[in-house]
Each structure stands twice: as C-alpha cells, then as structure tokens.
Amino acid sequence: MLELTTPVQYVKGIGPKLAEILATKGIATVGDLLNYLPFRYEDRLNPRGIAELHAGEMATVIGEVRNSGLFRTRKMPIFQLTVGQGRSKLRCLWFHGAYLQDKFKPGQLIALYGKVEQDQRSGELQIVQPQFEMLGDAAGDAADDKAAASLEVGRIVPIYESAGQGRVTARWFRRIIRTALDDLTPELAETIPAAVRDRLALLSPREALWKVHWPEAGESFEDLQSARTPAHIRLIFEELFFTELGLELKRRQQKAQTGIAFRLDDRVRQAIKKILPFHPTAAQKRVLKEIADDMQKPHPMRRLLQGDVGSGKTIIGFQAAIIAIENGYQVALMAPTEILAQQHYFSARRILENAGYRIVLLTGSLEADRKREIRRHIAQGNAQLVIGTHALLEEKVEFAKPGLVIVDEQHRFGVLQRLKLMKKSGDGSEGRGQAAASAGSAASTADKNPAEPDVLVMTATPIPRTLALTLYGDLDLSVLDELPPGRTPIVTRRITDARSPEVWDFVRKHAVAGHQAYVVYPIIAEGEETELKAAIKMYRELSGKVFADLKVGLLHGRLDSELKDQVMRRFQKGELQILVATTVIEVGVDVPNATVMVIEHAERFGLAQLHQLRGRIGRGAAKSYCILMTGGKVTEEGERRLDAMVRTNDGFQIAELDLELRGPGEFFGTRQAGMPSFRVANLIRDRQLLELAKREAAAVMAGPNAEVTQVEISRALVALRTRWQHTYGLVEVG
Ligand code: ADP
Ligand code: MG
C-alpha cells in the first residue's frame, strides 16, 4: 500500500530513471505525483462527430487513421493526416511536419484535440497542428492493452503536461497515476478539522484525488477546465489552508517573542512632529499610528508598509526612527541601491540633523578605513541612524543597541534576504522559529540586549491584500492609500521612435521652463544588443547635438559610485536639466522638479518597472509627462503592458495586470526568494479560496474551542510539518 509520503520509486512501473525525470518536475513522493493535476480534460465520452463540427470551436475528435503523407510547398513541408468516422472525414495539418512521417498506420484509432478551422480555398473544415494521442495498441504490451485503452476512451480523460522532453507523456502519467491511486492506502487521513470540512462541504482526500484525475461522467466539463469541481476545490483549499496555517503559526511565534516596548510620551511625540516639513496626509497619520502602536508593544514589530510610488513612505520611516532613537536605540535603514541609500542619507540629514540626531551612511563602495570607522561608531552606539545598502547585511555590522530595522523597497530584496537581515541586526538571536537559532552568535551580545528589534518593511509593489498577507504572511500590513495633496495625474503617451525629434522638442520646452527630465534606456553600452539604443551612445548624441545648449548628465550602474553620487546630486540640485539613465533610477529616486520621463524601447521593460520609472515624476505640483517610445516590433504582451501604462496611473491595477501577465512566481521573484510554490493552487485564480483558507486557518489556530479539538489541531500541525518539510524544505515550523 502506498502512503502519500512514500517515495515515488515505489509506484509500480517507476524505476530510478523515471524517478529522476519526475524529480525535475518536483515530484518526489506519491503525494506529489497525485497532486500533479491534469492541466485540461478531454471529453472522450461524447467526442464530437466530424459531421457536426463547426469552425472556431475547440474540439476533441476520435477517429480512425485513413491516410497520411508529407507534401512540400514552396515554403515548407506539410504533413497531412486524414481521419475518418464512418463516411465523414477530417483533415489535419502540421507545418514542418516531416517528423510525423511513418507515425500513423491506417486503421489506428486516434484522439485529436485542437481548433477547428475552415480552409480558405476548399471551404472544408480542418484542424491545424492538433494535439493527438494514439489510442489502443500503440504502447505494445498486449496484456495491459484493454485496461489501458479503457483509460483513454469512453470517458472524460485527463491530459497532463509531459516531462523529460516529452518522453514521459500524458498517456504515461495517466497510467502511472491510475496505478498509484489503485495502490493508495484506503486509510488516507483527513488532516483538515471536521468543522472546517463540514462548513465547506469538502470531499474526503481520497475521493478528491480519484475524482480530480478520473472525473465522473456527469461532472461539469466547464468546472473541470476551470478547476472548480468539488475535487479541485478540496485539493486547492487543502494546499492553501496548510500554507496559511504555517504562516499563522509563524506569526504567533513571532508575537510571542520578547521585543522592545518603546515609550511614546509627549516628548517623543513632540520630536516626531517637529521634523515634519509638511502636513502629513490622513493616510500617513493612520499608518504612523499603526506603527507606533506596534512599537509600544513588548513584542517585536513585523510590519509591511505598502504604498504606491510617491505616496510618502520615507517620512514615515523617519518618524518611526525617531521613536526608536528617542528611546535610546539605534535604527538601521536599508535601501536596495546605493543611489537610493545616498538619497535617504541626504534627506535624513536635511530633515533630522537639525534635531541633533547622528546619522551615518554605510555603503559597500566606501573605502575600507572609512567603513571601519563608521562601524566603530555603530558598535559604540554613537551613530543613531545608520543608512546603507545590502552592505549592512553582508558585512559585520554590530549595533550597540539595535531597536528598529527599516527595509525600503522590499520588492528588491528576496524574502530570504530579509530573514538574514533580521538575524544580523537581531544580534544573533534567530527569532524566526523555522531554523535553529545559532547559539554561538546569540551569545555575544544577547545578554546586553536580549530583545528582538522591530522591523518595518516598505514596498511600492501594490499587492492585493490577501496576496500580500500570504507572500509576506508573517508581516502585519499597513497601506498608504492616498497621495500627498497637489499632485496632478501624470499624462502618459506612446510614440514610435521615428517621432523622436518631436519628443526632444517637448523635453527642451520643459527644460527651458525650468523643469527637468529623465531619458531612460534599457541597456548601458552598445553591443549588448545591437539594435537597441544604448544609454552611453545616446548620451553622446543628446548632450553633444540635440541638447548641446543644455546640461545633460549620464547615470548608469557601471559608473563608479563617487561619480554616480555626484551626477545624482547635481541632478537633485537642478544643475543638470536632463538625466540620461538606465534603470538605476528605477526605485525611490525623488526629484520633485523632474516632470518629464522619456523611456526609449519601452516595450523592453516589465510593467512593474515601467510603473516604478514613471513614479520618478509627478512628485511635485507641476504637471508631469511620461513618454513611452517604442522602436521596432512590439509583442502582444508588450502591447498590453504599454496599453496599461497609458490607461492608468493606479499601481494596484498595474500590479493586477502584471500578475496576470507574468504569473505569481515571476512577479514576486518567489522562485529565488524561496517562497513555497504551489502545486495545485494558483494565487490569482484561487484568490477567493485563499481568503477562505486564511480565515479558517486563523480560526483553527485560535482553538481549541467548541469547533476544533486539541487533537484536531495537533493533527493539522503534524500534517503541516510533513507537508512543509518535503514540499518547502523547511526544517521546523512547529
Ligand atoms: P515613496 O512612497 O515613493 O517613497 P517619498 O517618501 O519619496 O515617496 O515621497 C514622495 C515625495 O512626496 C517626496 O518629495 C516627499 O517629500 C513628498 N511628500 C511626502 N509626504 C508628503 C505630504 N504629506 N505632503 C506633501 N509632500 C509630501
Ligand atoms: Mg521611497
């Protein structure tokens, strides 16, 4: 009998070679295999009669091979196959189909799936490049044939993605999954508490697994294709439920730790107010209060502040910093790029230094001596606000009294890096509950300051709330949903680069009127991709010819950091009117006088990136313009990105579309960042189930009570651990 945790090699018919191929698909256990769901289904119970097909529909046709052959046109070889049902015939074509020669024998039964089209010349119906599957005796092992054949026709048939360059076919999966189901232990434990299962009318795990692979004849075909059958819902909910349960557990563990209870008395309040260069928006006030409330609690804060570009997150970070500093603690503020760290350093000095706070900048590019000196300041507690880049994480920085860590523009950090960061400034005490706290590093400073510092993470990636709560599930969420007053919406236009003279005229007009402009290129130097205009070359052209009478600067990632710094500062001061740049300016850069953003080869940029870039303008009261120039062919997806940019300034809408276009893995960079990837759930399609799962998981963890027993909770936690261990590779969660 197979258990879900049994290694997949123990399924009959899977040897070491096949197990290796399956491993590439992330299939290691029987449970993994059974959760390898069909990506679509074919209705071979009621396959379509050829005579009743009509153009434009997707159809499954089962027929008999009549004849086939390759014929050559001037352009390419085309393989043609005719299948028949009684007197009706249907033609199928494959372009460049030479590889299909000798594959089909007359009389053979075959299932085809594809879009029915009408041939322009003959007017006959045909299917071009259908997916197909031989039925019946093709596999060769005669004894199994009958049983196997009954898996392929006369029913709704699951279609799986093949693996191992197609060697492990849909058909193979169908048989092997069937075998695994047949041999699966009848006592598959229910790990979801009964109250939850009843409330949502969930199928038992065993029934769900059977039905998702082998739907009953009466199952709604539409529900199957959209993964909305009861069987799908059970499996998807289960996956989401355990994810949320794990996150809930982590949150609870964090909350239970000792943190710093900062005091927020009138003196501190005054200090916070005093630095404000403007009236905070209502949203800023609300968010600051949420943060301040957290900081006063004796448990470590773990809060995500989400606010679209330009919503004014920086000042909130500074205010939180003051609370910590006024309580005698040190603050670390981390930025993803040096430019941004620099900028924070300058605004911190502008805003905070008058109040007497001691601020240092620590970046990777400083000279070793200088770094050592700064580190000493930090270790001795002289530096109160430490601003830096990843260098703060990577190098040995010891804080005398760390109180608060602020991470700006978190989307640039992987989730894992965030963990590392908390460890470091958390003076060694691990506090994440999932990895063993390293006793060695904890010993050094732990006795001086045993409390975990607070952490505030700021991001401009506008993620829908539930998604945020899952992806950053161990963080509490604050949302800055209001822009500072006086902003006029940015006007965004698309233009082909054939019209660049007009664009340059436009830029000039604004520069002459006293404003500034960015011109952004996707690459730095020529030769990287020959047809693209590179920043350096265009800088020469723009500074030397087009804008010879204006002051033009160049900024890209390969400049040494002193020069970068210098250029950025001159632009900030208004000494440069036009800044030619790469995406180094993408995040955070704040020059309110800049009102024009020209992006060349805009089709090359991702949607989130375009939105971030555009976020560099529209930061002051003057009307701002974003000009998306395209050169060359734009893909369909590119079109959708550009359309979205022209249509809306709303970060949430942009994020939704981006999520849709790229899929959650890419969108969040979760693959590198070690977020669990989902096997059956899809965070976008299943958003409602996610919400449900989150609610139910929280309720379960709040037990035991009238609904959930202690035994059920324990059982769920054990299941959680097993699941996370082998799926996500986490060592310990409970
Ligand atoms: P982001 O959220 O993108 O980090 P910033 O904190 O850089 O945004 O703020 C964007 C700009 O808006 C800055 O120039 C900042 O000084 C200004 N700003 C922030 N809050 C306010 C406010 N309440 N009133 C006026 N200007 C503000
Ligand atoms: Mg910012």
Side-chain angles (χ1 to χ4, degrees):
M1 284 286 112
L2 299 171
E3 307 281 339
L4 290 180
T5 48
T6 310
V8 82
Q9 293 93 293
Y10 294 100
V11 178
K12 260 182 271 154
I14 301 184
K17 265 237 179 68
L18 286 167
E20 228 169 85
I21 294 178
L22 290 179
T24 65
K25 283 269 180 191
I27 300 173
T29 64
V30 170
D32 297 339
L33 181 66
L34 294 181
N35 277 296
Y36 190 72
L37 302 194
F39 72 97
R40 66 178 178 85
Y41 298 82
E42 282 187 12
D43 186 355
R44 296 187 191 165
L45 178 62
N46 308 295
R48 306 298 309 278
I50 290 175
E52 59 190 62
L53 295 176
H54 48 85
E57 70 173 328
M58 299 295 295
T60 299
V61 174
I62 294 180
E64 197 184 270
V65 172
R66 291 282 158 81
N67 57 58
S68 66
L70 194 69
F71 65 92
R72 296 180 187 277
T73 65
R74 252 190 312 143
K75 278 198 199 136
M76 65 185 121
I78 297 179
F79 185 80
Q80 178 176 324
L81 168 77
T82 309
V83 290
Q85 288 170 345
R87 261 188 284 162
S88 325
K89 280 187 300 186
L90 177 70
R91 187 172 59 175
C92 302
L93 299 174
W94 285 265
F95 303 128
H96 298 287
Y99 65 99
L100 290 169
Q101 258 175 316
D102 309 324
K103 207 165 173 115
F104 303 93
K105 291 187 213 92
Q108 204 169 32
L109 206 57
I110 181 175
L112 298 151
Y113 175 77
K115 186 167 184 182
V116 181
E117 293 173 7
Q118 188 156 36
D119 181 48
Q120 280 170 355
R121 241 181 281 151
S122 67
E124 282 171 34
L125 294 184
Q126 61 183 28
I127 302 185
V128 178
Q129 324 269 85
Q131 295 176 28
F132 67 91
E133 196 174 284
M134 314 282 195
L135 304 174
D137 60 13
D141 46 345
D144 284 348
D145 268 2
K146 251 213 168 122
S150 73
L151 301 184
E152 340 253 75
V153 284
R155 64 189 328 148
I156 295 175
V157 175
I159 309 292
Y160 304 89
E161 219 171 85
S162 60
Q165 281 110 44
R167 277 195 292 157
V168 174
T169 59
R171 191 173 199 211
W172 181 86
F173 270 116
R174 206 174 292 143
R175 293 180 187 200
I176 216 76
I177 287 175
R178 178 65 174 227
T179 307
L181 283 170
D182 279 332
D183 293 347
L184 186 65
T185 172
E187 285 117 45
L188 211 52
E190 175 59 274
T191 46
I192 296 177
V196 178
R197 202 188 51 212
D198 292 348
R199 185 160 38 241
L200 306 179
L202 299 177
L203 298 187
S204 77
R206 199 184 154 80
E207 194 182 355
L209 285 172
W210 267 100
K211 286 189 172 163
V212 85
H213 293 286
W214 298 105
E216 286 172 347
E219 193 57 87
S220 147
F221 205 66
E222 209 182 312
D223 287 352
L224 279 169
Q225 304 292 40
S226 55
R228 283 288 86 97
T229 66
H232 281 98
I233 288 175
R234 152 82 210 198
L235 297 176
I236 292 167
F237 178 83
E238 181 178 328
E239 185 167 53
L240 295 173
F241 175 76
F242 281 105
T243 305
E244 294 296 340
L245 200 65
L247 292 171
E248 182 66 27
L249 193 64
K250 279 209 291 190
R251 285 157 66 91
R252 280 166 180 263
Q253 285 170 343
Q254 272 166 12
K255 292 255 162 73
Q257 282 176 353
T258 316
I260 306 159
F262 293 102
R263 289 179 48 115
L264 189 62
D265 51 26
D266 282 346
R267 186 181 54 83
V268 181
R269 273 178 221 283
Q270 279 309 315
I272 296 174
K273 273 222 185 98
K274 222 168 59 191
I275 61 136
L276 277 178
F278 36 63
H279 288 293
T281 62
Q284 282 171 322
K285 279 191 203 152
R286 187 193 68 234
V287 166
L288 179 66
K289 184 173 181 313
E290 288 166 0
I291 293 169
D293 285 350
D294 272 7
M295 291 182 73
Q296 292 176 79
K297 289 189 186 134
H299 305 295
M301 167 170 78
R302 295 287 179 268
R303 187 165 283 276
L304 176 68
L305 167 53
Q306 186 186 312
D308 205 352
V309 285
S311 58
K313 296 182 287 294
T314 315
I315 196 75
I316 292 180
F318 288 164
Q319 290 178 308
I322 292 177
I323 299 179
I325 295 173
E326 289 291 340
N327 276 267
Y329 284 87
Q330 290 171 295
V331 178
L333 167 58
M334 236 103 8
T337 65
E338 266 197 34
I339 289 179
L340 194 50
Q342 288 275 8
Q343 179 185 281
H344 279 329
Y345 179 59
F346 293 128
S347 28
R349 282 181 41 191
R350 199 177 62 233
I351 296 174
L352 299 176
E353 221 158 45
N354 284 341
Y357 301 116
R358 295 183 301 276
I359 304 162
V360 296
L361 176 68
L362 182 63
T363 57
S365 63
L366 290 178
E367 280 172 22
D369 278 0
R370 180 89 184 103
K371 265 194 242 174
R372 212 169 306 127
E373 193 190 321
I374 292 176
R375 258 187 254 137
R376 211 185 53 237
H377 277 306
I378 301 172
Q380 292 173 344
N382 295 335
Q384 294 173 305
L385 174 57
V386 181
I387 298 176
T389 55
H390 297 93
L392 276 182
L393 309 178
E394 281 148 15
E395 304 185 14
K396 288 190 210 77
V397 184
E398 289 219 11
F399 286 79
K401 220 176 166 199
L404 171 68
V405 178
I406 303 170
V407 187
D408 192 19
E409 302 296 354
Q410 137 75 16
H411 66 290
R412 280 303 193 88
F413 290 128
V415 175
L416 283 187
Q417 274 171 308
R418 207 180 71 227
L419 302 188
K420 227 167 83 192
L421 155 103
M422 291 188 200
K423 263 189 273 183
K424 187 140 275 164
S425 64
D427 57 346
S429 57
E430 165 51 51
R432 300 282 308 174
Q434 72 182 41
S438 54
S441 58
S444 60
T445 43
D447 37 24
K448 262 191 276 170
N449 177 33
E452 277 278 303
D454 282 356
V455 176
L456 175 65
V457 179
M458 307 200 287
T459 179
T461 310
I463 319 163
R465 190 178 178 90
T466 341
L467 285 184
L469 287 177
T470 297
L471 290 153
Y472 305 105
D474 41 353
L475 305 180
D476 295 306
L477 184 63
S478 289
V479 182
L480 213 46
D481 49 8
E482 179 187 355
L483 291 179
R487 303 269 172 92
T488 36
I490 300 168
V491 175
T492 303
R493 294 267 181 275
R494 250 189 91 166
I495 263 183
T496 65
D497 62 4
R499 290 172 61 190
S500 54
E502 291 167 54
V503 174
W504 303 143
D505 280 348
F506 185 79
V507 169
R508 167 184 302 280
K509 211 175 76 193
H510 281 258
V512 170
H515 290 296
Q516 289 163 283
Y518 299 93
V519 183
V520 179
Y521 293 90
I523 51 176
I524 298 174
E526 259 181 297
E528 286 175 72
E529 268 176 83
T530 39
E531 87 274 25
L532 292 183
K533 294 184 199 165
I536 293 177
K537 182 181 151 212
M538 285 308 291
Y539 167 69
R540 282 199 206 109
E541 159 119 14
L542 293 176
S543 63
K545 287 190 207 144
V546 183
F547 301 122
D549 53 328
L550 298 175
K551 296 209 179 57
V552 185
L554 173 67
L555 192 68
H556 59 73
R558 277 194 231 143
L559 294 178
D560 82 50
S561 60
E562 212 159 302
L563 200 55
K564 248 191 262 177
D565 182 23
Q566 203 185 348
V567 172
M568 202 55 232
R569 214 171 324 173
R570 289 183 64 204
F571 190 67
Q572 241 146 12
K573 283 195 200 146
E575 290 170 17
L576 295 172
Q577 291 156 299
I578 295 166
L579 188 61
V580 176
T582 59
T583 54
V584 289
I585 58 150
E586 178 187 336
V587 285
V589 168
D590 181 37
V591 180
N593 189 46
T595 54
V596 180
M597 159 84 41
V598 179
I599 304 174
E600 287 223 55
H601 286 294
E603 75 277 5
R604 287 294 181 120
F605 294 87
L607 196 48
Q609 217 171 14
L610 289 172
H611 182 64
Q612 283 288 334
L613 283 169
R614 181 170 59 182
R616 299 311 111 221
I617 56 170
R619 300 188 145 239
K623 191 158 184 139
S624 291
Y625 300 87
C626 176
I627 297 157
L628 306 171
M629 285 218 263
T630 55
K633 218 172 150 196
V634 181
T635 62
E636 199 185 307
E637 207 192 296
E639 288 291 343
R640 290 184 67 187
R641 290 196 297 262
L642 297 173
D643 277 355
M645 286 294 293
V646 172
R647 200 174 54 229
T648 180
N649 270 308
D650 179 340
F652 275 92
Q653 280 184 34
I654 300 244
E656 299 253 319
L657 184 67
D658 199 24
L659 205 55
E660 201 179 292
L661 290 177
R662 285 199 287 164
E666 284 286 308
F667 181 89
F668 298 110
T670 49
R671 244 154 247 153
Q672 322 86 289
M675 257 307 287
S677 51
F678 294 95
R679 231 172 244 295
V680 294
N682 170 328
L683 285 186
I684 305 188
R685 181 192 65 198
D686 303 325
R687 211 182 285 167
Q688 275 169 333
L689 283 175
L690 180 66
E691 217 143 324
L692 208 60
K694 183 171 171 51
R695 260 204 314 275
E696 294 291 357
V700 167
M701 287 303 290
N705 50 36
E707 278 218 326
V708 225
T709 65
Q710 184 57 54
V711 173
E712 283 180 314
I713 296 177
S714 310
R715 201 187 300 143
L717 291 179
V718 169
L720 171 71
R721 191 170 296 150
T722 324
R723 209 168 240 278
W724 278 40
Q725 246 160 35
H726 82 262
T727 312
Y728 309 138
L730 295 184
V731 193
E732 201 188 306
V733 280

